[in-house]
Amino acid sequence: MRFADRITKLPPYLFVEISRKVAEQRARGEEVISFGIGDPDFPTPPHIINRLCQTAQDPANHRYPETEGLPQLHQTIAGWYEKRFGISLNPDSEVLPLIGAKEGIIHIALCFIDPGDVALVPDPGYPPYSIGTILCGGTPYYMPLTVENDFLPDLAAIPNDILSKARLLWLNYPNNPTGAVADIDFFNRVVEFANEHHLAVCHDAPYTEIAFDGYQPVSFMQAAGAKDIGVEFHSLSKTYNMTGWRIGMVVGNAEMIDALKRVKSNLDSGVPQAIQYAAIEALAGPQDCIAECTTKYQRRRDLVVDKLNSMGLKTTPPKAGLYIWARVPDGYTSVEFADDLLDQVGVVVTPGIGYGNSGEGYIRLSLTLPDATLVKGLSRLAEWRNRKLSSGRKG
Ligand SMILES: *Cc1c(COP(=O)(O)O)cnc(C)c1O
């Protein structure tokens, strides 16, 4: 048997090693507390589940769905964008439901990347942007996100020979893993840059509804001319605690959406219809569930940030998203520090290098653990700190 090059080219999955250690510790009966995974611990709100159960009973929803989804879902997504961001979208040509945002993020590479082409991707960043590129035989060009640049890419620093081969520009704000946000001025500059260099822009925006202290994230589609050159991926996963149901969407440029629709019509048969009705209920129904969860995440954010800062791990409270991005202590790489926390006190954090080379020196902590577990995890971090102080190691 001989596997394709694209399989051997996939980067090794760093988190496999962490999962192995966690499994070992748990098998020994030790309790491991994980800040690793970004998956809401709250259930999907009951009104959404009720709609799902009702529509699952209807035989009309037992058959193949259409790849492009129910017209009513298209209209609901367009209505949600109008209400939330003041953007008007053509429900037929500028909206496409996805089997989760990740599905569309990977598959849109098939629409743009031929062997030898380049995609510009944020570093650190959500891995599927580069993985989709690699699976198509393309090459990711990593744009460093640094604290000095407020974790926004320095577009002017991208070399011309790269730009001439680049087809796609990936962005993600509110950002995973750094917690950074972008304003409309930045997005306006992105549109200008994309026009200048004939790039298609893909903005990934699953965290626009998880924001703190009254801050309201903007949509890339609000930038002037965004619809001429780009699309925005969105998801119900984080907003409505629906990661398990697999539904998201992409909106914006009609040609880009049509290309993705053509690819998908040959690949999948759409989202199960009862889940589409659940999404309609989520987007058009009562929205108070969002504020309820966000209030809880904000409280967790404050607990984590305070604890990390009191330990000397420098971090600032993010305005949005589900993650805390913190500096590791001097003298450790991100993997060494994550390993040490797991070995010493049974706490899992994600090493920043797992999101790209520019993530070195950082760890990511997710806010999606139940309060009591989170508090226990934080006291274990303090215990790690005390042990280090008494053993004399700096940090
Ligand atoms: C969680 C996440 C997604 C995935 O959303 P799904 O709709 O569940 O596939 C996409 N992008 C980023 C940056 C995420 O963190």
Side-chain angles (χ1 to χ4, degrees), residues 122-207:
D123 167 17
Y126 181 61
Y129 315 138
S130 52
I131 302 287
T133 310
I134 292 167
L135 287 174
C136 292
T139 311
Y141 174 84
Y142 295 104
M143 305 177 290
L145 307 184
T146 63
V147 65
E148 292 79 18
N149 285 332
D150 300 321
F151 300 108
L152 299 172
D154 180 1
L155 300 173
I158 303 169
N160 277 323
D161 61 319
I162 295 293
L163 284 170
S164 64
K165 288 185 277 185
R167 301 289 174 263
L168 280 181
L169 167 60
W170 281 101
L171 295 168
N172 161 224
Y173 295 97
N175 186 258
N176 174 11
T178 68
V181 296
D183 61 15
I184 200 69
D185 291 343
F186 173 73
F187 286 147
N188 285 331
R189 290 204 305 279
V190 166
V191 173
E192 260 175 56
F193 183 80
N195 277 316
E196 205 174 311
H197 298 285
H198 310 289
L199 298 168
V201 178
C202 290
H203 183 243
D204 183 22
Y207 297 104

Coordinates of all heavy atoms in Angstrom, one line a residue, residues 122-207:
P122 N -2.8 33.1 9.1 CA -2.3 33.7 10.4 C -1.5 32.7 11.2 O -1.9 31.5 11.2 CB -3.5 34.1 11.1 CG -4.7 33.4 10.5 CD -4.3 33.0 9.1
D123 N -0.4 33.1 11.9 CA 0.4 32.3 12.7 C 0.7 33.0 14.0 O 1.3 34.0 14.0 CB 1.7 32.0 12.0 CG 2.8 31.4 12.8 OD1 2.4 30.9 13.9 OD2 4.0 31.4 12.5
P124 N 0.1 32.6 15.1 CA -0.6 31.3 15.3 C -2.0 31.4 14.7 O -2.5 32.5 14.5 CB -0.7 31.3 16.9 CG -0.7 32.7 17.3 CD 0.3 33.4 16.4
G125 N -2.6 30.2 14.4 CA -3.9 30.2 13.8 C -4.6 28.9 13.9 O -3.9 27.9 14.2
Y126 N -5.9 28.9 13.7 CA -6.7 27.7 13.7 C -6.2 26.8 12.5 O -6.1 27.2 11.4 CB -8.1 28.1 13.4 CG -9.2 27.1 13.4 CD1 -9.5 26.3 14.5 CD2 -10.0 27.0 12.2 CE1 -10.5 25.4 14.4 CE2 -11.0 26.0 12.2 CZ -11.3 25.3 13.3 OH -12.3 24.4 13.2
P127 N -5.7 25.6 12.9 CA -5.0 24.7 11.9 C -5.7 24.5 10.5 O -5.0 24.4 9.5 CB -4.8 23.4 12.7 CG -4.7 23.8 14.1 CD -5.7 24.9 14.2
P128 N -7.0 24.4 10.4 CA -7.6 24.0 9.1 C -7.3 25.0 8.0 O -7.3 24.6 6.8 CB -9.1 24.1 9.4 CG -9.2 23.6 10.8 CD -8.1 24.3 11.5
Y129 N -6.9 26.3 8.3 CA -6.6 27.2 7.1 C -5.4 26.6 6.4 O -5.3 26.6 5.2 CB -6.2 28.6 7.6 CG -7.2 29.2 8.6 CD1 -6.7 29.9 9.7 CD2 -8.6 29.0 8.5 CE1 -7.6 30.4 10.7 CE2 -9.4 29.6 9.5 CZ -8.9 30.3 10.5 OH -9.8 30.8 11.5
S130 N -4.4 26.2 7.1 CA -3.2 25.7 6.4 C -3.4 24.2 6.0 O -2.9 23.8 4.9 CB -1.9 25.8 7.3 OG -2.2 25.2 8.6
I131 N -4.1 23.4 6.7 CA -4.4 22.0 6.4 C -5.1 22.0 5.0 O -4.8 21.2 4.1 CB -5.2 21.3 7.4 CG1 -4.5 21.3 8.8 CG2 -5.5 19.9 7.0 CD1 -3.2 20.5 8.9
G132 N -6.1 22.8 4.8 CA -6.9 22.8 3.6 C -5.9 23.1 2.4 O -6.0 22.5 1.3
T133 N -5.1 24.1 2.6 CA -4.1 24.5 1.6 C -3.2 23.3 1.3 O -3.0 23.0 0.1 CB -3.2 25.6 2.2 OG1 -4.1 26.6 2.7 CG2 -2.3 26.2 1.1
I134 N -2.6 22.6 2.3 CA -1.7 21.5 2.1 C -2.4 20.3 1.4 O -1.8 19.7 0.5 CB -1.1 21.0 3.4 CG1 -0.2 22.2 4.0 CG2 -0.4 19.7 3.3 CD1 0.2 21.9 5.5
L135 N -3.6 20.1 1.7 CA -4.4 19.0 1.1 C -4.6 19.2 -0.4 O -4.8 18.3 -1.2 CB -5.7 18.7 1.8 CG -5.7 18.1 3.2 CD1 -7.1 18.0 3.8 CD2 -5.1 16.7 3.1
C136 N -4.6 20.5 -0.8 CA -4.7 20.8 -2.2 C -3.4 20.9 -2.9 O -3.3 21.4 -4.1 CB -5.5 22.1 -2.4 SG -7.2 21.9 -1.9
G137 N -2.3 20.6 -2.3 CA -1.0 20.7 -2.9 C -0.4 22.2 -2.9 O 0.6 22.4 -3.5
G138 N -1.0 23.0 -2.1 CA -0.6 24.4 -2.0 C 0.4 24.6 -0.8 O 0.6 23.6 -0.1
T139 N 0.9 25.8 -0.6 CA 1.8 26.1 0.4 C 1.2 27.2 1.3 O 0.9 28.3 0.7 CB 3.2 26.6 -0.2 OG1 3.5 25.6 -1.2 CG2 4.2 26.6 0.9
P140 N 1.1 27.0 2.6 CA 0.7 28.1 3.4 C 1.9 29.1 3.6 O 3.1 28.7 3.8 CB 0.4 27.5 4.8 CG 0.6 26.0 4.6 CD 1.3 25.8 3.3
Y141 N 1.6 30.4 3.6 CA 2.6 31.4 4.0 C 2.1 32.0 5.3 O 1.0 32.5 5.4 CB 2.7 32.5 2.9 CG 3.7 33.6 3.4 CD1 5.0 33.5 3.3 CD2 3.2 34.8 4.0 CE1 5.9 34.5 3.7 CE2 4.0 35.8 4.5 CZ 5.4 35.6 4.4 OH 6.2 36.6 4.9
Y142 N 3.0 31.8 6.3 CA 2.5 32.2 7.7 C 2.8 33.6 8.0 O 3.9 34.1 7.9 CB 3.2 31.3 8.7 CG 2.8 29.8 8.5 CD1 3.7 28.9 7.9 CD2 1.6 29.4 8.9 CE1 3.3 27.6 7.7 CE2 1.2 28.1 8.8 CZ 2.0 27.2 8.1 OH 1.6 25.9 8.0
M143 N 1.7 34.3 8.3 CA 1.8 35.8 8.7 C 1.8 35.8 10.2 O 0.9 35.5 10.9 CB 0.5 36.5 8.2 CG 0.2 36.4 6.7 SD -1.3 37.3 6.3 CE -2.5 36.3 7.1
P144 N 3.0 36.3 10.8 CA 3.1 36.3 12.2 C 2.1 37.2 12.9 O 1.9 38.4 12.4 CB 4.5 36.7 12.5 CG 5.2 36.7 11.2 CD 4.2 36.7 10.1
L145 N 1.4 36.8 13.9 CA 0.6 37.7 14.7 C 1.4 37.9 16.0 O 1.6 36.9 16.8 CB -0.8 37.0 15.0 CG -1.6 36.5 13.9 CD1 -3.0 36.0 14.4 CD2 -1.8 37.6 12.8
T146 N 1.8 39.1 16.3 CA 2.6 39.4 17.4 C 1.9 40.4 18.3 O 1.1 41.2 17.9 CB 4.0 39.9 17.1 OG1 3.8 41.2 16.4 CG2 4.7 39.0 16.1
V147 N 2.3 40.4 19.6 CA 1.7 41.3 20.5 C 2.0 42.8 20.1 O 1.2 43.7 20.3 CB 2.2 41.0 22.0 CG1 3.7 41.3 22.2 CG2 1.4 41.8 23.0
E148 N 3.2 43.0 19.5 CA 3.6 44.4 19.0 C 2.6 44.9 18.0 O 2.4 46.1 17.9 CB 5.0 44.4 18.4 CG 6.1 44.1 19.4 CD 6.3 42.6 19.8 OE1 5.8 41.8 19.0 OE2 6.9 42.4 20.8
N149 N 2.0 44.0 17.2 CA 1.1 44.4 16.2 C -0.4 44.1 16.6 O -1.3 44.0 15.7 CB 1.3 43.6 14.9 CG 2.5 44.2 14.1 OD1 2.9 45.4 14.3 ND2 3.2 43.4 13.4
D150 N -0.6 44.0 17.9 CA -2.0 43.7 18.4 C -2.5 42.5 17.8 O -3.7 42.3 17.6 CB -2.9 44.9 18.2 CG -2.5 46.2 18.8 OD1 -1.9 46.1 20.0 OD2 -2.6 47.2 18.2
F151 N -1.6 41.5 17.4 CA -2.0 40.2 16.8 C -2.8 40.4 15.5 O -3.7 39.6 15.2 CB -2.8 39.4 17.9 CG -2.0 39.1 19.1 CD1 -2.3 39.6 20.3 CD2 -0.9 38.2 19.0 CE1 -1.5 39.4 21.5 CE2 -0.2 37.9 20.1 CZ -0.5 38.5 21.4
L152 N -2.5 41.5 14.8 CA -3.0 41.7 13.4 C -1.8 41.4 12.5 O -0.7 41.8 12.8 CB -3.5 43.1 13.2 CG -4.6 43.6 14.1 CD1 -4.9 45.1 13.9 CD2 -5.9 42.8 13.9
P153 N -2.1 40.8 11.3 CA -0.9 40.5 10.4 C -0.4 41.8 9.8 O -1.2 42.8 9.6 CB -1.5 39.6 9.3 CG -3.0 39.9 9.4 CD -3.3 40.3 10.8
D154 N 0.9 41.9 9.6 CA 1.5 43.1 9.0 C 1.5 42.8 7.5 O 2.4 42.2 6.9 CB 2.9 43.2 9.5 CG 3.6 44.4 8.8 OD1 3.0 45.1 8.0 OD2 4.8 44.7 9.2
L155 N 0.4 43.2 6.8 CA 0.3 42.9 5.4 C 1.4 43.5 4.5 O 1.8 42.8 3.5 CB -1.1 43.4 4.9 CG -2.3 42.9 5.6 CD1 -3.6 43.6 5.2 CD2 -2.5 41.4 5.4
A156 N 1.9 44.6 4.9 CA 3.0 45.3 4.1 C 4.3 44.5 4.2 O 5.2 44.6 3.3 CB 3.2 46.7 4.6
A157 N 4.4 43.6 5.1 CA 5.6 42.8 5.3 C 5.6 41.5 4.4 O 6.6 40.8 4.3 CB 5.8 42.4 6.7
I158 N 4.5 41.2 3.7 CA 4.5 40.0 2.9 C 5.3 40.3 1.6 O 4.9 41.2 0.9 CB 3.0 39.6 2.6 CG1 2.2 39.4 3.9 CG2 3.0 38.3 1.8 CD1 0.7 39.3 3.7
P159 N 6.3 39.4 1.3 CA 7.1 39.7 0.1 C 6.3 39.6 -1.2 O 5.3 38.8 -1.3 CB 8.1 38.5 0.2 CG 8.1 37.9 1.5 CD 6.7 38.2 2.0
N160 N 6.7 40.3 -2.2 CA 6.0 40.4 -3.5 C 6.0 39.0 -4.2 O 5.0 38.7 -4.9 CB 6.7 41.4 -4.4 CG 6.1 42.8 -4.1 OD1 4.9 42.9 -3.8 ND2 7.0 43.8 -4.1
D161 N 7.1 38.2 -4.1 CA 7.1 36.9 -4.8 C 6.1 36.0 -4.2 O 5.5 35.1 -4.9 CB 8.5 36.3 -4.8 CG 9.0 36.1 -3.5 OD1 8.8 36.9 -2.6 OD2 9.6 35.0 -3.2
I162 N 5.8 36.2 -2.9 CA 4.7 35.4 -2.3 C 3.4 35.9 -2.7 O 2.5 35.1 -3.1 CB 4.8 35.5 -0.7 CG1 6.1 34.9 -0.2 CG2 3.6 34.9 0.0 CD1 6.2 33.4 -0.4
L163 N 3.2 37.2 -2.8 CA 1.9 37.8 -3.2 C 1.5 37.4 -4.6 O 0.4 37.2 -4.9 CB 2.0 39.3 -3.0 CG 1.9 39.8 -1.6 CD1 2.2 41.3 -1.5 CD2 0.5 39.5 -1.0
S164 N 2.5 37.2 -5.5 CA 2.2 36.9 -6.8 C 1.7 35.4 -6.9 O 1.0 35.1 -7.9 CB 3.4 37.1 -7.8 OG 4.4 36.2 -7.4
K165 N 2.0 34.6 -6.0 CA 1.5 33.2 -6.0 C 0.3 33.0 -5.1 O -0.3 31.9 -5.0 CB 2.6 32.3 -5.5 CG 3.7 32.1 -6.6 CD 4.8 31.1 -6.2 CE 5.8 31.7 -5.2 NZ 6.9 30.8 -4.9
A166 N 0.0 34.1 -4.3 CA -1.1 33.9 -3.3 C -2.5 34.0 -3.9 O -2.7 34.9 -4.8 CB -0.9 35.0 -2.2
R167 N -3.4 33.2 -3.5 CA -4.7 33.2 -4.0 C -5.7 33.6 -2.9 O -6.7 34.2 -3.1 CB -5.1 31.8 -4.5 CG -4.2 31.3 -5.7 CD -4.5 32.1 -7.0 NE -3.5 31.7 -8.0 CZ -2.4 32.3 -8.3 NH1 -2.1 33.5 -7.6 NH2 -1.5 31.9 -9.2
L168 N -5.4 33.1 -1.7 CA -6.4 33.3 -0.6 C -5.7 34.0 0.6 O -4.5 33.7 0.9 CB -6.9 31.9 0.0 CG -8.0 31.2 -0.7 CD1 -8.3 29.9 0.0 CD2 -9.2 32.0 -0.8
L169 N -6.4 34.8 1.3 CA -6.0 35.5 2.5 C -6.9 35.1 3.6 O -8.1 35.4 3.6 CB -5.9 37.0 2.3 CG -5.8 37.8 3.6 CD1 -4.5 37.5 4.3 CD2 -5.8 39.3 3.3
W170 N -6.4 34.3 4.6 CA -7.2 33.9 5.7 C -7.1 34.8 6.9 O -6.0 35.2 7.3 CB -6.8 32.5 6.2 CG -7.3 31.4 5.3 CD1 -6.7 30.7 4.4 CD2 -8.7 30.9 5.4 NE1 -7.5 29.8 3.8 CE2 -8.7 29.9 4.4 CE3 -9.8 31.2 6.1 CZ2 -9.9 29.2 4.1 CZ3 -10.9 30.5 5.9 CH2 -11.0 29.5 4.9
L171 N -8.2 35.2 7.5 CA -8.2 36.0 8.7 C -9.2 35.5 9.7 O -10.2 34.8 9.3 CB -8.6 37.5 8.4 CG -7.6 38.2 7.5 CD1 -8.2 39.5 7.0 CD2 -6.3 38.5 8.2
N172 N -9.1 35.8 11.0 CA -10.0 35.3 12.0 C -10.0 36.2 13.2 O -9.1 36.3 14.0 CB -9.5 33.9 12.4 CG -10.1 33.4 13.8 OD1 -9.3 32.8 14.6 ND2 -11.3 33.6 14.0
Y173 N -11.1 37.0 13.3 CA -11.3 37.9 14.4 C -12.8 37.9 14.8 O -13.6 37.9 14.0 CB -10.9 39.3 14.1 CG -9.4 39.4 13.8 CD1 -8.9 39.3 12.6 CD2 -8.5 39.4 14.9 CE1 -7.5 39.3 12.3 CE2 -7.2 39.4 14.7 CZ -6.7 39.4 13.4 OH -5.3 39.3 13.2
P174 N -13.1 37.9 16.1 CA -12.2 37.7 17.3 C -11.4 36.4 17.1 O -11.9 35.4 16.6 CB -13.2 37.5 18.5 CG -14.4 38.3 18.0 CD -14.5 38.1 16.6
N175 N -10.1 36.5 17.5 CA -9.1 35.5 17.1 C -9.0 34.3 18.1 O -9.0 34.5 19.3 CB -7.8 36.2 17.0 CG -6.7 35.3 16.4 OD1 -5.9 34.8 17.2 ND2 -6.7 35.0 15.1
N176 N -8.9 33.1 17.5 CA -8.5 31.9 18.2 C -7.1 31.6 17.6 O -6.9 31.5 16.4 CB -9.4 30.8 17.8 CG -9.0 29.5 18.4 OD1 -8.1 29.4 19.2 ND2 -9.6 28.4 18.0
P177 N -6.0 31.5 18.4 CA -6.0 31.4 19.9 C -5.7 32.7 20.6 O -5.7 32.7 21.9 CB -4.8 30.5 20.1 CG -3.8 30.9 19.0 CD -4.7 31.2 17.8
T178 N -5.4 33.9 20.0 CA -4.8 35.0 20.8 C -5.9 35.8 21.5 O -5.5 36.6 22.4 CB -4.0 35.9 19.8 OG1 -5.0 36.6 19.0 CG2 -3.0 35.2 19.0
G179 N -7.1 35.7 21.2 CA -8.2 36.5 21.8 C -8.2 37.9 21.3 O -9.0 38.8 21.7
A180 N -7.4 38.2 20.2 CA -7.4 39.6 19.7 C -8.7 39.9 18.9 O -9.3 39.0 18.4 CB -6.2 39.8 18.8
V181 N -9.0 41.2 18.8 CA -10.1 41.6 17.9 C -9.6 42.6 16.9 O -8.5 43.1 17.0 CB -11.2 42.3 18.8 CG1 -11.8 41.3 19.7 CG2 -10.7 43.5 19.5
A182 N -10.4 42.7 15.8 CA -10.0 43.7 14.7 C -11.2 44.7 14.6 O -12.3 44.4 14.9 CB -9.9 42.9 13.4
D183 N -10.8 45.9 14.2 CA -11.9 46.9 14.0 C -12.1 47.1 12.5 O -11.4 46.5 11.6 CB -11.5 48.2 14.7 CG -10.2 48.8 14.1 OD1 -9.7 48.4 13.1 OD2 -9.7 49.7 14.8
I184 N -13.1 48.0 12.2 CA -13.5 48.1 10.8 C -12.4 48.8 9.9 O -12.3 48.5 8.7 CB -14.9 48.8 10.7 CG1 -15.5 48.6 9.4 CG2 -14.7 50.3 11.0 CD1 -16.0 47.2 9.2
D185 N -11.6 49.6 10.5 CA -10.4 50.2 9.8 C -9.5 49.2 9.3 O -9.1 49.2 8.1 CB -9.6 51.2 10.7 CG -10.4 52.4 11.0 OD1 -11.5 52.7 10.3 OD2 -10.1 53.1 12.0
F186 N -9.2 48.2 10.1 CA -8.3 47.1 9.7 C -9.0 46.3 8.5 O -8.3 46.1 7.5 CB -8.0 46.1 10.8 CG -7.3 44.9 10.4 CD1 -5.9 45.0 10.0 CD2 -7.9 43.7 10.3 CE1 -5.2 43.8 9.6 CE2 -7.2 42.5 9.8 CZ -5.9 42.6 9.5
F187 N -10.3 46.0 8.6 CA -11.0 45.3 7.6 C -11.0 46.1 6.3 O -10.9 45.6 5.2 CB -12.4 44.9 8.0 CG -12.4 43.7 9.0 CD1 -13.4 43.6 10.0 CD2 -11.4 42.7 8.9 CE1 -13.4 42.6 10.9 CE2 -11.4 41.6 9.8 CZ -12.4 41.6 10.8
N188 N -11.2 47.4 6.4 CA -11.2 48.3 5.2 C -9.8 48.2 4.5 O -9.7 48.1 3.3 CB -11.5 49.7 5.5 CG -13.0 49.9 5.8 OD1 -13.8 49.2 5.3 ND2 -13.3 50.9 6.7
R189 N -8.7 48.2 5.3 CA -7.4 48.1 4.7 C -7.2 46.7 4.0 O -6.6 46.6 3.0 CB -6.3 48.3 5.8 CG -6.2 49.7 6.3 CD -4.8 50.0 6.9 NE -4.4 49.1 8.0 CZ -4.8 49.2 9.2 NH1 -5.7 50.1 9.6 NH2 -4.4 48.3 10.1
V190 N -7.8 45.7 4.6 CA -7.7 44.3 4.1 C -8.4 44.3 2.7 O -7.8 43.7 1.7 CB -8.4 43.3 5.0 CG1 -8.6 42.0 4.3 CG2 -7.5 43.1 6.2
V191 N -9.5 45.0 2.5 CA -10.2 45.0 1.2 C -9.3 45.7 0.2 O -9.1 45.2 -0.9 CB -11.6 45.7 1.3 CG1 -12.2 45.8 0.0 CG2 -12.5 44.9 2.3
E192 N -8.7 46.8 0.6 CA -7.8 47.5 -0.4 C -6.7 46.6 -0.8 O -6.3 46.5 -2.0 CB -7.2 48.7 0.3 CG -7.9 50.0 0.0 CD -7.3 51.1 0.9 OE1 -6.0 51.3 0.8 OE2 -8.1 51.8 1.6
F193 N -6.1 46.0 0.2 CA -4.9 45.1 -0.1 C -5.3 43.9 -1.0 O -4.6 43.6 -1.9 CB -4.4 44.6 1.3 CG -3.2 43.7 1.2 CD1 -1.9 44.3 1.1 CD2 -3.3 42.3 1.3 CE1 -0.8 43.5 1.0 CE2 -2.1 41.5 1.2 CZ -0.9 42.1 1.1
A194 N -6.5 43.4 -0.7 CA -6.9 42.2 -1.5 C -7.2 42.7 -3.0 O -6.8 41.9 -3.9 CB -8.2 41.6 -0.9
N195 N -7.7 43.8 -3.2 CA -8.0 44.4 -4.5 C -6.6 44.6 -5.2 O -6.5 44.2 -6.4 CB -8.8 45.7 -4.4 CG -10.3 45.4 -4.3 OD1 -10.8 44.6 -5.0 ND2 -10.9 46.1 -3.5
E196 N -5.7 45.2 -4.5 CA -4.4 45.5 -5.1 C -3.7 44.2 -5.6 O -3.0 44.2 -6.6 CB -3.6 46.2 -4.0 CG -2.5 47.1 -4.4 CD -1.9 47.7 -3.2 OE1 -2.7 48.3 -2.4 OE2 -0.6 47.7 -3.1
H197 N -3.8 43.1 -4.8 CA -3.1 41.9 -5.1 C -3.9 40.7 -5.6 O -3.5 39.6 -5.7 CB -2.3 41.5 -3.9 CG -1.3 42.5 -3.4 ND1 -0.1 42.7 -4.1 CD2 -1.3 43.4 -2.4 CE1 0.6 43.7 -3.5 NE2 -0.2 44.2 -2.5
H198 N -5.2 41.0 -6.0 CA -6.0 40.0 -6.6 C -6.2 38.8 -5.7 O -6.0 37.6 -6.1 CB -5.6 39.6 -8.0 CG -5.3 40.8 -8.9 ND1 -6.3 41.6 -9.3 CD2 -4.2 41.4 -9.3 CE1 -5.8 42.6 -10.0 NE2 -4.5 42.5 -10.0
L199 N -6.4 39.0 -4.4 CA -6.6 37.9 -3.5 C -8.1 37.8 -3.1 O -8.9 38.8 -3.1 CB -5.9 38.3 -2.1 CG -4.4 38.5 -2.2 CD1 -3.9 39.1 -0.9 CD2 -3.7 37.1 -2.5
A200 N -8.5 36.6 -2.9 CA -9.8 36.3 -2.3 C -9.6 36.2 -0.8 O -8.7 35.6 -0.3 CB -10.4 35.0 -2.8
V201 N -10.5 36.9 0.0 CA -10.4 36.9 1.4 C -11.4 36.0 2.1 O -12.6 36.0 1.7 CB -10.6 38.4 2.0 CG1 -10.6 38.4 3.5 CG2 -9.6 39.4 1.4
C202 N -10.9 35.2 3.0 CA -11.8 34.3 3.8 C -11.7 34.8 5.2 O -10.6 34.6 5.9 CB -11.4 32.9 3.7 SG -11.7 32.2 2.0
H203 N -12.7 35.4 5.8 CA -12.7 35.7 7.2 C -13.5 34.7 8.0 O -14.7 34.4 7.6 CB -13.3 37.1 7.4 CG -13.2 37.6 8.8 ND1 -14.3 37.8 9.6 CD2 -12.1 37.7 9.6 CE1 -13.9 38.1 10.8 NE2 -12.6 38.1 10.9
D204 N -12.9 34.2 9.1 CA -13.6 33.2 9.9 C -14.0 33.9 11.2 O -13.2 34.4 11.9 CB -12.5 32.1 10.1 CG -13.1 30.9 11.0 OD1 -14.3 30.8 11.0 OD2 -12.3 30.2 11.6
A205 N -15.3 33.9 11.4 CA -15.9 34.7 12.5 C -16.8 34.0 13.5 O -17.8 34.6 13.9 CB -16.6 35.9 11.9
P206 N -16.4 32.8 14.0 CA -17.3 32.1 14.9 C -17.5 32.7 16.3 O -18.4 32.3 17.0 CB -16.7 30.7 15.0 CG -15.3 30.9 14.8 CD -15.2 32.0 13.8
Y207 N -16.7 33.7 16.6 CA -16.7 34.3 18.0 C -17.3 35.6 18.1 O -17.2 36.3 19.1 CB -15.3 34.2 18.6 CG -14.8 32.8 18.7 CD1 -13.8 32.4 17.9 CD2 -15.2 32.0 19.7 CE1 -13.3 31.1 18.0 CE2 -14.8 30.7 19.8 CZ -13.8 30.2 18.9 OH -13.4 29.0 19.1

